Amino acid sequence: MTMRRTAIRAAAALLVGVMTMPLAACGRNPLDVSEVTGPRIVIGVTFDQPGMGLRKGNQYSGFNVKVAEYVAHKLGYAKWQIVWEEAPYDQRVTMLADGDVDMVTGMYIDKDTADSTTAKAELGYDFAGPYLAGRQDVMMLAQDADDVHTIGDLAGRRVCVVAGSRTVDDLNHVLGSSVTMLEQPSATQCTTALMTGMVDAVSAEAAVLAGMAASADTAKVEPLGLDYAQGEYGIGLKTGSDKLVSRVKAALADMKRDGSLTRAYAETLGEVGYKP
C-alpha cells in the first residue's frame, strides 16, 4: 500500500510539472539590462525592406533578420522563441526605452557617431556593433537617372526620406533648404511616392535602396551610387545594458569569425546587389 501511495504521489507531481510548463512559456520576461531572462526574446526589425528585413505572411527574411537569429541563438534562444516586432525608424528609441522590444537590429548611425564614444552615449540607446558598413544613396526613376551625377544635382527637387531615419539629418547637412523633403513612414511608401510622381527622388541607406530596386514592383527605379554620407549598422539595446552589450558584441564577433556573417550577406544583400 505504501509503495502504491508513493507511486501515485510521484505521478501527480509529474502531471503538475507538465501542466505548468506551458503556462510558464506563455509569459514573457524581457531582457534585463544586464542579463537574459525569460522564455522569449522580442526583436524589432523592418517588415518592408527586401534584403534587410521583410515580412511575408509568417515568414521573415533579410540580412538584419539573419543577424538577429544568430545573436538570439548565442544568447540561448531558439528560432521559435523569437517574437518579431515591426520597428519603424521614428519609434525605435522609444520602443527600446519602454521595453516593448528587447533589441532592434539595423540601427544605423553616421560614421562620426560610430567613431566617438561621447556621441554614442548620447544616442538614447546602447549600440552594439557594427556588423555592416553603410552609406546614404539616392534612387530615381530610371528615365530620370541620367540627369543627376552628384548630390548637388538634387537642388531644387523633391526628395522623399523615411521619417526618423539618419537620412533626414545627412541630407539636410549636405543640401539644407535647397531640396524639399517629404517624410514618409517607410521606404516602401517613399518608393510609391517616387513611382506616382509625388517626388523626384528617394534618399535612404544604400542597402535599403538596393533591396527596393531589386524587388519586382520597383523595376523602373535605379539607385545612383552617390554615397554622400557614410555610416554603420549595429544592434540597439536599452540604455544601461552594459553586460548584454558585451554579450551581443561577442556574438557578432563569432558570427564574423565562423563565416556566418558572410553567408548571411550572400543570401540576402548579395542577392540584391548591395556591396558594403
Side-chain angles (χ1 to χ4, degrees):
M1 182 66 73
T2 301
M3 293 179 61
R4 184 181 177 186
R5 289 199 187 99
T6 302
I8 291 174
R9 288 171 181 166
L14 178 60
L15 181 59
V16 170
V18 171
M19 292 177 65
T20 56
M21 283 176 63
L23 296 177
C26 290
R28 171 184 171 272
N29 294 318
L31 293 181
D32 184 76
V33 295
S34 60
E35 61 184 349
V36 178
T37 61
R40 295 192 292 169
I41 179 171
V42 183
I43 303 178
V45 293
T46 55
F47 279 7
D48 68 334
Q49 296 178 359
M52 290 292 273
L54 182 67
R55 175 184 176 180
K56 285 189 176 182
N58 293 324
Q59 301 298 314
Y60 299 86
S61 63
F63 185 70
N64 289 329
V65 171
K66 287 185 176 293
V67 170
E69 289 176 342
Y70 185 96
V71 171
H73 174 72
K74 285 291 185 177
L75 293 177
Y77 291 90
K79 282 187 179 182
W80 65 267
Q81 291 177 292
I82 298 175
V83 177
W84 301 104
E85 288 285 349
E86 185 172 18
Y89 286 2
D90 59 352
Q91 298 177 32
R92 293 177 171 186
V93 176
T94 301
M95 291 174 74
L96 286 168
D98 292 347
D100 296 327
V101 292
D102 298 316
M103 63 176 62
V104 177
T105 55
M107 298 295 279
Y108 181 84
I109 60 176
D110 68 285
K111 196 67 171 64
D112 290 340
T113 300
D115 293 338
S116 171
T117 302
T118 302
K120 281 193 287 190
E122 298 174 352
L123 287 172
Y125 61 91
D126 286 347
F127 182 86
Y131 59 77
L132 179 71
R135 55 189 184 274
Q136 299 285 8
D137 197 7
V138 174
M139 182 172 72
M140 298 182 70
L141 294 176
Q143 64 191 40
D144 301 327
D146 290 340
D147 295 334
V148 175
H149 304 285
T150 69
I151 191 65
D153 292 336
L154 285 180
R157 300 177 188 254
R158 299 162 299 166
V159 182
C160 189
V161 294
V162 181
S165 68
R166 178 65 209 179
T167 309
V168 177
D169 293 330
D170 285 341
L171 188 61
N172 186 60
H173 177 73
V174 175
L175 293 178
S177 60
S178 65
V179 295
T180 300
M181 282 194 279
L182 171 67
E183 295 190 29
Q184 291 291 311
S186 70
T188 297
Q189 287 166 288
C190 268
T191 302
T192 299
L194 176 63
M195 298 287 286
T196 57
M198 289 179 59
V199 295
D200 303 305
V202 175
S203 184
E205 299 142 32
V208 174
L209 295 182
M212 301 305 297
S215 64
D217 294 336
T218 56
K220 297 180 180 179
V221 300
E222 180 180 331
L224 305 184
L226 299 184
D227 302 345
Y228 64 88
Q230 309 300 313
E232 294 179 340
Y233 288 94
I235 293 177
L237 302 162
K238 188 175 183 178
T239 300
S241 307
D242 297 343
K243 184 176 179 180
L244 187 55
V245 167
S246 297
R247 296 183 65 184
V248 171
K249 284 184 176 180
L252 292 174
D254 288 343
M255 191 175 188
K256 181 178 180 180
R257 184 165 43 249
D258 66 20
S260 296
L261 192 65
T262 299
R263 288 191 293 273
Y265 162 79
E267 295 167 0
T268 56
L269 292 177
E271 291 287 333
V272 299
Y274 176 71
K275 297 180 180 180

